[in-house]
Amino acid sequence: MTLQPVTVPFLDLHAATAELAGPIEQAVLRVTRSGYYIGGPETEAFEAEFAEYTGAACCVGTGNGLDALELALRAMGVGPGDEVIVPSNTYIATWLAVSAVGARPVPVEPDPATHNIDPARIEAALSARTRVILPVHLYGQPADLAPILALAKHHGLRVLEDAAQAQGATWRGRRIGSHGDAVCWSFYPGKNLGALGDAGAVTTSDPEIAAEIRRLGNYGSSRKYICETRGTNSRLDPIQAAVLRVKLAHLDAWNDRRRAAAAVYLAALPGLGLGLPSVLPDADPVWHQFVVRSSRRDELQHRLAGAGIATLIHYPVAPHMQEAYADLGLAADDLPIARDLSREVLSLPIGPHLTREMQDRVIDALLQQTG
Ligand SMILES: *Cc1c(COP(=O)(O)O)cnc(C)c1O
């Protein structure tokens, strides 16, 4: 089969920047002329605006999402000998942050309907060493937070949320950003709120956690040239902050476009033998990904590519099956739900710049391939 050129891109980042080209270029120019190249008014303004948007008291910018997770864990005092409950089905960065502070990621399988950590399985994974439960709002759908928060309270544990894929999502009518003790964000360009490079943040309503993250990300110094802890350098760049301020003002509207596209898929795709995403009654997701499930996933992806439709797999290798985690001694079959998801999930094109015409092409191709 000869591959046609891609006619439906997976995510059109160029179109996103083009829609806001004027204000984005003005924002970059503003920083260029300001003389503030680390911290300063743009970074502070974004932190204040994002805290307000998420409903948290504090927001601390970081260099990226992985750093946000690592610094938040360190700020909570997690270190060697500690255990952190993580989803077995997530992007590898969630696990890497736990490992980076010297703690052990303890995986818990997802609810296969939502792909998010299954709260009913957490209790059995707790030990005397557990310090934190780290749910991920995967694909933009909030994890089932009520039982997780209750469990953490009961056992005296902290809850750290990985919200890298969930900017603007709500749970029980309140935006993600302040339900747990701290919430970590990535503004990697492809996220729902994306910068023009690396960027991240932590939101929290605990001023001590916020101050500690800021100190650790600033060399472990709260006063210039006085270093109390071996910290690191991870700060939100003011150019990225200025761009994020422009895009934050459009986030809800862009998420609504994703919601509309998801509704079109959800109406058109039943009956094709594909597993479709299901949404918890408490959750209003922002559809970072629209993930279907098929036992013939690789063949389906290949055929869609032949029809000019780009798809991706989130994620093709479950964390416990990665070479980096061979030392945990977990066999693929030890976490069968994560294993099966890694073999069967397929992410369809979705984003604020996916046109109805492009989406109809995706749906037509799926009808032909599976019908
Ligand atoms: C993107 C992402 C991260 C890492 O963010 P970076 O900014 O790329 O470091 C962490 N967790 C999840 C779930 C992500 O999707």
Side-chain angles (χ1 to χ4, degrees), residues 162-192:
D162 180 342
Q165 305 188 356
Q167 295 92 349
T170 66
W171 188 79
R172 291 196 177 163
R174 216 173 94 215
R175 285 201 187 102
I176 291 297
S178 67
H179 296 89
D181 295 287
V183 183
C184 294
W185 305 90
S186 164
F187 307 117
Y188 177 86
K191 307 287 161 119
N192 289 39

Side-chain angles (χ1 to χ4, degrees), residues 196-349:
L196 299 185
D198 275 313
V202 182
T203 54
T204 176
S205 292
D206 182 333
E208 282 178 28
I209 292 179
E212 188 61 3
I213 291 168
R214 201 177 290 287
R215 198 177 66 88
L216 290 170
N218 187 42
Y219 315 104
S221 292
S222 39
R223 280 181 301 150
K224 209 172 169 94
Y225 305 128
I226 305 299
C227 182
E228 305 98 17
T229 319
R230 292 176 204 163
T232 186
N233 173 0
S234 185
R235 302 177 291 217
L236 175 58
D237 182 281
I239 292 182
Q240 301 306 338
V243 171
L244 287 168
R245 292 182 70 197
V246 173
K247 295 182 87 174
L248 179 59
H250 297 267
L251 178 59
D252 286 342
W254 286 18
N255 279 340
D256 281 344
R257 294 190 214 164
R258 289 176 180 267
R259 289 188 178 101
V264 169
Y265 279 142
L266 286 169
L269 300 181
L272 302 186
L274 297 172
L276 296 179
S278 57
V279 174
L280 291 175
D282 284 331
D284 183 9
V286 287
W287 303 102
H288 176 61
Q289 304 299 352
F290 189 94
V291 176
V292 299
R293 209 173 155 172
S294 165
S295 53
R296 291 157 57 216
R297 189 267 314 276
D298 291 345
E299 186 190 336
L300 186 60
Q301 182 177 41
H302 186 73
R303 288 176 179 228
L304 289 172
I309 292 159
T311 56
L312 290 174
I313 295 166
H314 300 95
Y315 296 90
V317 182
H320 76 286
M321 295 160 69
Q322 297 280 3
E323 199 181 330
Y325 283 102
D327 64 338
L328 288 183
L330 289 167
D333 299 350
D334 288 340
L335 296 164
I337 303 177
R339 176 203 62 199
D340 288 352
L341 286 174
S342 71
R343 292 174 182 165
E344 296 182 3
V345 292
L346 184 67
S347 304
L348 302 182

Side-chain angles (χ1 to χ4, degrees), residues 2 8 48 95 103 109 145 148 166 260 301 305 323 325 354 365:
T2 53
V8 182
W95 286 41
E109 289 270 69
L145 284 171
I148 295 172
Q301 182 177 41
E323 199 181 330
Y325 283 102
L354 181 73

Side-chain angles (χ1 to χ4, degrees), residues 64-66 69 90-91 93-94 136 162 164-165 186 188 191 199 315:
N64 56 62
L66 176 58
L69 287 162
T90 182
Y91 182 53
T94 315
V136 179
D162 180 342
Q165 305 188 356
S186 164
Y188 177 86
K191 307 287 161 119
Y315 296 90

